[in-house]
Amino acid sequence: MSTVGRDRSTVGRDRSTVGRGRSTVGRGRSTLARDRSTVGRGRSTLARGRTPKAPGSQGRPSKILSSRTRTRTRLAAGTLLAPFFALFTVAMIVPVGYALWLSLFTEKQSGLGFDGPRTVFDGLGNYATALGDQAFRDGFRVLLGYCALYLPLMIGGAIVLALLLDTALARARRFFQLALFLPHAIPGLIAALIWIYLYTPQLSPVVAAMEAGGVGFDFFSSAGTLPSIVNIALWQWLGYNVVIFYAALQAVDRSLLEAATVDGAGNWRIAFSVKLPLIRSSLVMVVLFTVIGSLQLFTEPLILSRGSGSAVTSTWTPNMYAYGAAFERNDYGLAAAASVLIALVAAALSFVVTRFTNRRKEARP
């Protein structure tokens, strides 16, 4: 009986243990439920965190700072550019606008001429007068001959001298650069006066030496005037273009030249097949500026026209035609119209040169 009692107590303890286990499972289930509720609250919190804010409430300080930075940048750029645009307006836009306005008017005598000239609107009459004047058209023919002689000598001579300075065999580069550039530092008026002295037979030692050698040449004749003016322009501007080409050649990658030398290319091959294609942009710029400068030919022929027996007339170039119309005939409307036509021709030539060079650049592989 005692044994049965002990067994029953053991069974009771087992049942109580099972009960405690069941209660533990219950507490575990309640804990799992609380964890699930916690996860649910976390998901709801995350969902609330992902909810988009109202427009304009997100990143407002950064937007304010970026707008302030842009404003300061624009203000600084405007402050730095304002002097240039002011000077450009005063020195370029206003004179061009005034020339266009002045070219539309002319002065005419009223009645018998006792009241003096009066300014009247003439429209395009001054342009028609300038284009219909044979002297004005002949001036462009002179410029055409001048460019045909001047451009090849200028561009070709500057390239050759720059290539010679860039070779490894050249010595005293700084001296020759200074010697070539020094004539450009002399004003054109002074240079023209110097060359008039050298062209005058009774004064020039150059002419005396040529005559002593049996070479006679009249620099002021109709056949010698154009070469004389080209010589003055070459003497003044050749060194300037040499410096531009030489600076461009110095920027060429030397490894390319060494590679061409290793491949067996000679000096001529390297100069014309490697160096010149690499300085194409500088070459185009020099050609463009030289063409525009040729259209502005004025100082040299004006000074030579003062020489004795000179074939240069007061309308030898278009600029001289405009100068004579303004300050010799007091026809400022015609002078303004001639100036505008010269500017249009220069703009057209600039467009043609840049368009031609760009097409050749695009056609190259």
Side-chain angles (χ1 to χ4, degrees):
M1 293 294 293
S2 62
T3 303
V4 172
R6 286 196 298 270
D7 291 338
R8 288 179 178 177
S9 64
T10 302
V11 170
R13 286 195 300 270
D14 292 338
R15 289 178 177 177
S16 63
T17 302
V18 170
R20 288 196 299 272
R22 288 179 178 177
S23 63
T24 303
V25 171
R27 287 196 298 273
R29 289 179 179 176
S30 63
T31 302
L32 180 60
R34 286 197 301 271
D35 293 339
R36 287 179 178 176
S37 64
T38 302
V39 171
R41 288 195 298 271
R43 288 179 178 176
S44 63
T45 303
L46 180 61
R48 288 195 301 270
R50 290 181 179 179
T51 303
K53 296 181 181 180
S57 62
Q58 186 177 3
R60 185 174 299 172
S62 61
K63 288 185 178 181
I64 294 175
L65 290 177
S66 62
S67 63
R68 289 179 179 176
T69 303
R70 288 195 298 268
T71 303
R72 292 177 180 177
T73 303
R74 292 172 181 174
L75 183 61
T79 303
L80 294 175
L81 292 176
F84 165 76
F85 283 111
L87 184 61
F88 181 77
T89 302
V90 173
M92 181 64 67
I93 297 180
V94 172
V96 171
Y98 180 69
L100 290 171
W101 173 261
L102 194 62
S103 65
L104 302 177
F105 296 87
T106 187
E107 291 185 353
K108 292 184 178 180
Q109 298 288 340
S110 60
L112 299 176
F114 297 108
D115 296 335
R118 57 188 180 91
T119 303
V120 296
F121 180 78
D122 196 24
L124 300 178
N126 289 319
Y127 295 94
T129 302
L131 293 174
D133 196 340
Q134 184 66 32
F136 185 70
R137 297 197 303 269
D138 289 341
F140 284 101
R141 294 191 183 96
V142 171
L143 286 182
L144 182 62
Y146 174 81
C147 291
L149 183 61
Y150 175 64
L151 287 177
L153 293 176
M154 171 61 73
I155 304 301
I159 289 176
V160 170
L161 290 175
L163 290 173
L164 289 175
L165 289 175
D166 190 57
T167 59
L169 301 177
R171 295 293 184 270
R173 291 188 178 93
R174 299 297 181 186
F175 170 76
F176 286 108
Q177 290 180 41
L178 179 62
L180 290 170
F181 187 78
L182 189 60
H184 180 70
I186 300 175
L189 180 62
I190 305 301
L193 291 175
I194 293 173
W195 281 102
I196 284 181
Y197 167 77
L198 295 176
Y199 289 158
T200 304
Q202 294 80 13
L203 302 174
S204 173
V206 176
V207 175
M210 292 174 60
E211 291 177 351
V215 179
F217 187 80
D218 187 3
F219 293 97
F220 296 104
S221 63
S222 58
T225 299
L226 189 61
S228 300
I229 295 176
V230 169
N231 178 59
I232 298 174
L234 284 173
W235 180 79
Q236 186 177 8
W237 289 94
L238 183 64
Y240 176 82
N241 293 326
V242 168
V243 171
I244 294 177
F245 287 141
Y246 180 71
L249 289 171
Q250 290 296 299
V252 174
D253 189 0
R254 296 297 159 178
S255 62
L256 298 176
L257 306 181
E258 294 174 358
T261 304
V262 171
D263 291 340
N267 291 331
W268 288 100
R269 183 73 173 176
I270 292 175
F272 291 97
S273 298
V274 179
K275 292 182 178 180
L276 288 185
L278 294 176
I279 63 170
R280 188 188 308 274
S281 58
S282 299
L283 181 61
V284 172
M285 181 190 68
V286 170
V287 170
L288 181 62
F289 287 171
T290 305
V291 170
I292 296 176
S294 300
L295 292 176
Q296 299 175 2
L297 182 63
F298 176 74
T299 303
E300 294 84 359
L302 180 65
I303 300 300
L304 260 67
S305 65
R306 304 294 189 262
S308 59
S310 176
V312 178
T313 61
S314 60
T315 59
W316 199 67
T317 64
N319 276 339
M320 294 180 66
Y321 178 89
Y323 176 83
F327 300 105
E328 294 179 3
R329 301 191 297 272
N330 296 324
D331 194 346
Y332 297 104
L334 179 61
S339 301
V340 171
L341 291 174
I342 295 171
L344 291 176
V345 172
L349 288 177
S350 302
F351 175 79
V352 170
V353 171
T354 53
R355 190 64 179 268
F356 175 74
T357 53
N358 289 335
R359 282 186 177 181
R360 290 194 60 181
K361 185 176 180 180
E362 293 174 357
R364 292 181 65 89

